[in-house]
Amino acid sequence: MPPEDLNANYQGVWDGRLGFGHKAALLVVDFMQGYTTPGSPLHASGVVEAVARMPYLLEQARAAGIEIIHTNILYLAPEQSDGGIWVKKAPVMRHMVPESPYARFCEEVTPQEGELIITKQYASAFFGTSLASTLMSMGVDTLILTGCSTSGCIRATAVDGVQHGFRMMVVRECVGDRHPAPHEANLFDIDSKYGDVVSLDETLAYLQQG
């Protein structure tokens, strides 16, 4: 018996849509040089491609006047003890310390003056940070999600975001991972259960409608 088609299995059960709400912010998650530098243990070709697509999206978001928030991962405690169990599970993250070039923002997405930077120590941009309360104080109900990696910090942020009551809109072309398989699998899961995966063109059309 042939296996059931995946989309048919989910149809009518896990295929709801949220759509953009009344006020959006753009969240740029962890586009740091560790993911784009050849030879880095974190290097991911999918992230390199996603970063390359970001300048125009950032330009349009700035022109539209929406809030833009950047996150980075940075450990400040000795032996990265502020990373807790996560850095034990994923010791590669120990590279994210102030003196490491891998912890710098990619040049293409360097935050501009006035754009908020939230430093985190774990996968979700919401965990242990002020992101949720900041967005609420801004009146934001929609979070346009970009960054890396799709199977890690993007998925974790999407799950936490919807649980905090935000419409999570993941821009397909502007998120990346180190391999297509986890990238696509996690986009499928996010689109099914936690938010909407939208194209860059859809996102630009939303921003340009004023």
Side-chain angles (χ1 to χ4, degrees), residues 141-206:
D141 66 352
T142 300
L143 202 52
I144 300 170
L145 185 54
T146 65
C148 65
S149 64
T150 315
S151 59
C153 297
I154 296 302
R155 183 189 178 112
T157 299
V159 173
D160 278 0
V162 72
Q163 292 175 154
H164 277 289
F166 298 103
R167 296 168 182 259
M168 302 303 294
M169 312 299 287
V170 179
V171 186
R172 172 178 284 276
E173 296 91 336
C174 296
V175 294
D177 214 313
R178 62 189 296 128
H179 191 280
H183 172 73
E184 291 297 336
N186 281 274
L187 286 178
F188 184 89
D189 285 348
I190 292 168
D191 195 54
S192 300
K193 299 179 179 180
Y194 309 117
D196 292 358
V197 175
V198 295
S199 70
L200 178 57
D201 285 344
E202 288 177 272
T203 307
L204 293 172
Y206 168 78

Side-chain angles (χ1 to χ4, degrees), residues 90-160:
V92 68
M93 299 310 298
R94 293 182 184 275
H95 289 281
M96 296 306 178
V97 291
E99 61 271 20
S100 172
Y102 292 159
R104 298 172 186 162
F105 285 106
C106 297
E107 291 183 8
E108 299 91 331
V109 297
T110 300
Q112 290 191 353
E113 185 177 355
E115 293 175 356
L116 180 63
I117 299 171
I118 290 180
T119 295
K120 61 191 183 72
Q121 284 77 42
Y122 290 86
S124 170
F126 289 94
F127 184 80
T129 76
S130 62
L131 179 59
S133 55
T134 298
L135 293 171
M136 290 175 190
S137 71
M138 294 173 173
V140 167
D141 66 352
T142 300
L143 202 52
I144 300 170
L145 185 54
T146 65
C148 65
S149 64
T150 315
S151 59
C153 297
I154 296 302
R155 183 189 178 112
T157 299
V159 173
D160 278 0

